[in-house]
């Protein structure tokens, strides 16, 4: 069972086999100008994305949906979602962005007022600073608690689900509070909202997520089928990306400062954290030169893959030199730290302007 509020996913292959997620690599060659994370295997699985490929290639109408639970700080691992949204946006997708203040209240006890504050100053501001235009006409940003269409749809969805369904998917039990039981249904409504009449009716929608969020997608696909006759909803497609490993080698977590580089940190702090990260190097210098490094077990190399190196040929050169012992961990760390510092210096400039824009979304 996958817990969307606390999973620590490590065996991606097992999850693909157990839950019927399909291998994304089979589609990469069919996509015109695929996203970097697609080409590099960071996006590893999908449900029904093959239905999106002709729409993307043909520049036809489709949607992308995502959500944020405003409960803490954004870190560098969250950037991969924004990178995907930017790519879809460039391909002509409409964007639906849910601020899950109902979920943060039910699962974390955060007030609606505080959730809105966190969403604006921490999440939306960074989405904008990272290059996503949330002021465009084909973008819908909303608070769950204040969206009447969403809550009306949630009520209709609730009629199609019973406790046994929720227990089987989420592991809820007799002590689960009813609000926590209800918010997954709100998330189902979030995913289906772009297909309502208010937003042009039924269309293909993709939801890019970490695999820990797959329970919501499975529930939504089941409910979409049940509501098809009434609303004409299509089952949402989804893609699944690998998590960025934490700086210590464990999962990167907003609640564990030593594992994450937060987007509100200074360039110097970000640089320092990169230099303290776990590598895939050998025990001694001689072993490193003789046996080579292990990039697939290296946090530094992962940062280069996910965020810091755009050029595929440059990345491949780094990988080869690491594996044959030419590139030593110390040099690679210094290079990655410098790239991260440069990235944060640019981000800081953009963050200064982005909070005001984020606030204007609710004027």
């Amino acid at each position: 069972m996958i817990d969307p509020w606390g999973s620590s996913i490590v065996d991606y292959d097992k999850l693909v086999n157990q839950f019927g997620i399909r291998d994304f690599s089979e589609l990469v060659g069919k996509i015109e100008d695929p996203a970097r994370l697609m080409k590099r295997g960071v996006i590893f699985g999908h449900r029904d994305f093959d239905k999106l490929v002709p729409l993307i290639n043909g520049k036809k109408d489709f949607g992308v949906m995502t959500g944020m639970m405003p409960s803490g700080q954004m870190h560098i691992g969250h950037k991969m979602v924004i990178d995907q949204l930017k790519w879809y946006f460039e391909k002509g997708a409409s964007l639906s962005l849910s601020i899950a203040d109902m979920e943060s209240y039910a699962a974390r006890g955060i007030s609606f007022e505080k959730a809105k504050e966190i969403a604006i100053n921490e999440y939306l501001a960074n989405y904008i600073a990272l290059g996503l235009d949330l002021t465009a006409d084909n973008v819908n940003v909303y608070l769950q608690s204040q969206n009447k269409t969403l809550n009306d749809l949630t009520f209709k969805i609730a009629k199609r689900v019973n406790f046994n369904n929720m227990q089987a998917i989420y592991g809820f039990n007799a002590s689960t509070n009813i609000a926590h039981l209800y918010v997954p249904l709100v998330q189902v409504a979030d995913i289906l909202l772009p297909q309502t009449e208010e937003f042009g009716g039924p269309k293909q929608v993709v939801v890019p997520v970490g695999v820990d969020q797959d329970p919501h997608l499975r529930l939504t696909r089941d409910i979409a089928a049940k509501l098809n006759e009434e609303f004409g909803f299509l089952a949402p497609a989804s893609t699944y990306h690998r998590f960025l490993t934490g700086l210590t080698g464990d999962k990167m977590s907003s609640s564990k400062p030593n594992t994450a580089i937060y987007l509100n940190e200074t360039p110097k702090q970000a640089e320092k954290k990169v230099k303290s990260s776990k590598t895939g190097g050998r025990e001694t210098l001689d072993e490193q030169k003789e046996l080579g490094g292990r990039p697939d077990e290296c946090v530094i190399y992962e940062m280069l893959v996910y965020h810091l190196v755009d050029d595929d040929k440059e990345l491949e050169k780094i990988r080869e030199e690491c594996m044959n012992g030419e590139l030593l961990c110390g040099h690679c760390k210094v290079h990655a730290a410098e790239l991260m510092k440069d990235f944060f210096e640019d981000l800081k400039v953009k963050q200064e302007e982005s909070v005001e824009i984020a606030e204007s979304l609710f004027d």
Side-chain angles (χ1 to χ4, degrees):
M1 182 172 292
I2 303 173
D3 174 9
W5 299 280
S7 283
S8 181
I9 307 298
V10 289
D11 193 337
Y12 295 102
D13 292 334
K14 181 179 179 181
L15 286 164
V16 168
N17 294 330
Q18 184 174 349
F19 293 104
I21 296 170
R22 293 167 59 190
D23 186 351
F24 195 86
S25 64
E26 65 189 24
L27 296 178
V28 175
K30 301 176 182 179
I31 302 168
E32 294 178 7
D33 184 29
R36 178 177 63 185
L37 298 180
M38 294 174 177
K39 293 187 292 182
R40 296 181 179 180
V42 177
I43 298 173
F44 70 91
H46 75 99
R47 293 188 191 277
D48 280 355
F49 193 81
D50 48 306
K51 295 180 180 178
L52 270 294
V53 173
L55 301 179
I56 292 169
N57 291 346
K59 296 180 170 47
K60 297 181 179 178
D61 185 37
F62 73 99
V64 58
M65 183 273 154
T66 192
M68 60 176 76
M69 183 172 72
S71 60
Q73 300 179 76
M74 281 189 71
H75 57 63
I76 194 70
H78 294 128
K79 176 179 173 289
M80 75 178 82
V81 175
I82 291 88
D83 288 342
Q84 292 176 70
L85 297 178
K86 287 166 60 180
W87 183 83
Y88 286 118
F89 208 52
E90 290 166 3
K91 297 297 181 181
S94 56
L95 169 61
S96 185
L97 178 53
S98 166
I99 300 171
D101 58 342
M102 293 176 71
E103 182 185 11
S104 64
Y105 180 82
R108 300 284 187 267
I110 296 172
S111 71
F112 293 124
E113 294 79 9
K114 184 65 177 177
K116 182 179 179 180
E117 179 187 326
I118 295 171
I120 290 173
N121 294 301
E122 185 66 31
Y123 288 80
L124 295 176
N126 277 311
Y127 275 48
I128 294 165
L130 288 167
L132 192 60
D133 182 8
L134 297 183
T135 64
D137 291 339
N138 56 342
V139 176
N140 178 35
V141 181
Y142 63 91
L143 291 152
Q144 286 178 333
S145 63
Q146 296 182 16
N147 191 305
K148 186 177 187 306
T149 303
L150 180 83
N151 286 289
D152 289 348
L153 181 57
T154 304
F155 184 77
K156 293 176 180 178
I157 286 167
K159 189 176 179 181
R160 305 299 181 113
V161 186
N162 60 43
F163 181 76
N164 287 339
N165 300 143
M166 303 298 284
Q167 185 179 44
I169 295 173
Y170 297 102
F172 293 151
N173 55 48
S175 65
T176 302
N177 76 71
I178 301 302
H180 196 178
L181 189 74
Y182 187 70
V183 289
L185 304 183
V186 182
Q187 289 182 298
V188 170
D190 281 326
I191 296 169
L192 295 177
L193 186 68
Q195 298 192 58
T196 58
E197 288 186 14
E198 183 179 340
F199 298 100
K203 60 175 162 291
Q204 292 288 347
V205 175
V206 61
V207 189
V209 293
V211 75
D212 60 330
Q213 300 300 304
D214 186 52
H216 301 318
L217 271 301
R218 284 186 277 124
L219 178 61
T220 304
R221 289 168 62 84
D222 179 58
I223 289 176
K226 292 177 180 177
L227 291 174
N228 180 265
E229 186 174 335
E230 181 179 355
F231 292 95
F233 289 147
L234 304 177
S238 50
T239 62
Y240 302 93
H241 51 256
R242 301 177 188 276
F243 294 114
L244 183 64
T245 307
L247 307 181
T248 57
D250 300 316
K251 181 182 175 182
M252 188 170 288
S253 171
S254 295
S255 61
K256 298 178 180 178
N258 291 336
T259 70
I261 301 175
Y262 299 117
L263 295 184
N264 61 7
E265 294 190 287
T266 67
K268 276 291 185 184
Q269 287 173 319
E271 179 185 30
K272 184 177 179 181
K273 281 192 170 183
V274 172
K275 289 181 177 179
S276 68
S277 301
K278 181 178 179 291
T279 72
R282 304 290 178 174
E283 295 296 322
T284 67
L285 183 61
D286 288 340
E287 284 185 8
Q288 180 81 1
K289 291 180 177 179
E290 180 183 351
L291 302 174
R294 294 165 291 193
D296 293 331
E297 300 175 28
C298 180
V299 173
I300 298 296
Y301 180 72
E302 208 172 83
M303 289 184 194
L304 299 177
V305 171
Y306 283 54
H307 299 303
L308 299 178
V309 175
D310 289 326
D311 189 292
D312 291 335
K313 291 182 179 178
E314 180 185 348
L315 187 68
E316 184 58 32
K317 183 173 182 288
I318 291 171
R319 181 181 179 84
E320 289 178 1
E321 290 181 352
C322 170
M323 294 182 71
N324 65 26
E326 289 181 59
L327 180 61
L328 302 181
C329 292
H331 297 300
C332 194
K333 262 191 180 183
V334 169
H335 178 55
E338 187 63 33
L339 291 175
M340 187 66 79
K341 181 185 176 185
D342 291 345
F343 167 77
F344 266 77
E345 287 176 346
D346 181 61
L347 180 64
K348 291 298 142 188
V349 174
K350 294 173 180 175
Q351 282 174 333
E352 290 177 5
E353 306 170 353
S354 62
V355 173
E356 187 175 340
I357 298 172
E359 290 174 341
S360 73
L361 298 173
F362 298 97
D363 289 342

